[in-house]
Amino acid sequence: MCELLGMSANVPTDICFSFSGFLHRGGGTGPHRDGWGIAFYEAGGYRDFRDPHPSVDSPIARLIRDYPIKSHVVISHIRQANVGQVKLANTHPFTREMWGRPWCYAHNGQLSQAWQDLPLSFYQPVGTTDSEHAFCWLMGELRQAFPEPPQDYASLWCHLHRLCEQLRGLGVFNLLLADGEHLYTYCSTKLAHITRRAPFGQASLSDAELNVNFAEHTTPNDVVSVIATEPLTDNEDWVRMEPGELLVWRDGEIQGRFKT
């Protein structure tokens, strides 16, 4: 299956260190050779990079690794194709607009054939994956329930959790979703997270020979949380999410937690 990587931070932060290890899983230390992508929210704007080729060999991936794009929210994905051809249209993350914001989505897992029966309303897929179809259904359901941004975000988060539970009922559904302010992470089988804050220490990647002392690159007020399918470092304590758990992140902190 695919793998996911996300970040939420309270200050503009680059993800070069984590991405350096993650990209090796795309055809190097892992079998995920069928494309990769990454999306950044920056100062009210959005940009993404997608490539249907293995990240371990991708010049674009090396650019991202070496170019410190600073962002509050990041979503990345490396693909091992199950449904849909290996091509750009089927490469995550996917994006749709709602409430004048770009919503970004990446999925790890595989759904049963019943995904084709999920009714679509406002949004239609461009590619042929179960992942994008599920995204279009999910966004359509949210938009029908909340035509305008809700005054009470907890109601949105509860509804999102119910929708994720419904998709989980169709198979494996691990999710990263972002609206530019919040990062949503939903676990069906595998997701782990770590929050780094003062006092910062050293970290060592599991998939590449790279170490960093975060104390040299941060301030005492920085809070940075990283979420991944599997822990990216071998000398830190990652927390594994529970099946059926939805976490809502903002500025590196958990704002909401919903469980089955």
Side-chain angles (χ1 to χ4, degrees):
M1 293 186 183
C2 310
E3 290 205 21
L4 302 171
L5 170 65
M7 185 192 76
S8 173
N10 69 337
V11 293
T13 304
D14 73 70
I15 199 170
C16 295
F17 174 73
S18 295
F19 187 72
S20 295
F22 189 63
L23 70 85
H24 281 279
R25 297 181 179 179
T29 58
H32 315 88
R33 300 186 57 85
D34 299 324
W36 68 277
I38 190 168
F40 302 88
Y41 289 90
E42 309 166 61
Y46 171 91
R47 59 173 156 178
D48 63 27
F49 302 82
R50 296 185 296 149
D51 187 353
H53 303 293
S55 58
V56 71
D57 300 322
S58 170
I60 304 174
R62 290 196 293 272
L63 167 68
I64 301 301
R65 179 194 64 190
D66 299 333
Y67 178 33
I69 298 173
K70 294 187 180 297
S71 174
H72 285 276
V73 179
V74 177
I75 287 179
S76 186
H77 178 277
I78 49 176
R79 185 176 184 226
Q80 185 177 14
N82 291 309
V83 178
Q85 296 177 317
V86 178
K87 61 181 183 179
L88 185 61
N90 290 334
T91 304
H92 305 224
F94 303 111
T95 312
R96 295 294 187 276
E97 178 274 335
M98 186 168 71
W99 310 330
R101 306 177 194 169
W103 287 65
C104 176
Y105 159 103
H107 164 229
N108 162 31
Q110 186 173 3
L111 305 178
S112 69
Q113 289 297 317
W115 66 265
Q116 299 179 61
D117 299 325
L118 292 170
L120 303 181
S121 52
F122 299 100
Y123 303 98
Q124 298 293 320
V126 176
T128 56
T129 64
D130 55 345
S131 299
E132 188 183 15
H133 188 104
F135 177 42
C136 290
W137 174 81
L138 181 69
M139 290 296 294
E141 294 295 303
L142 288 176
R143 183 170 170 179
Q144 285 183 330
F146 302 94
E148 302 292 335
Q151 297 294 320
D152 175 20
Y153 269 91
S155 61
L156 170 70
W157 301 344
C158 287
H159 191 57
L160 175 61
H161 183 247
R162 288 193 292 268
L163 296 174
C164 289
E165 289 281 87
Q166 188 171 339
L167 289 168
R168 179 186 172 212
L170 301 182
V172 178
F173 185 75
N174 300 295
L175 162 84
L176 296 185
L177 177 71
D179 60 10
E181 295 182 6
H182 300 96
L183 173 66
Y184 306 94
T185 62
Y186 176 79
C187 177
S188 171
T189 54
K190 285 185 180 180
L191 272 180
H193 58 86
I194 187 168
T195 298
R196 300 183 179 115
R197 63 176 83 239
F200 292 94
Q202 293 192 352
S204 174
L205 288 175
S206 304
D207 299 271
E209 293 184 2
L210 184 62
N211 298 277
V212 66
N213 183 356
F214 286 111
E216 298 175 355
H217 305 278
T218 55
T219 74
N221 297 321
D222 293 0
V223 180
V224 180
S225 292
V226 177
I227 302 92
T229 300
E230 291 286 354
L232 293 166
T233 58
D234 55 18
N235 67 329
E236 296 179 293
D237 294 325
W238 290 67
V239 179
R240 292 193 179 274
M241 291 181 61
E242 300 177 14
E245 183 178 29
L246 172 73
L247 296 179
V248 182
W249 305 82
R250 183 172 182 175
D251 295 337
E253 305 279 12
I254 295 174
Q255 304 295 312
R257 186 189 305 268
F258 303 84
K259 296 183 180 181
T260 303

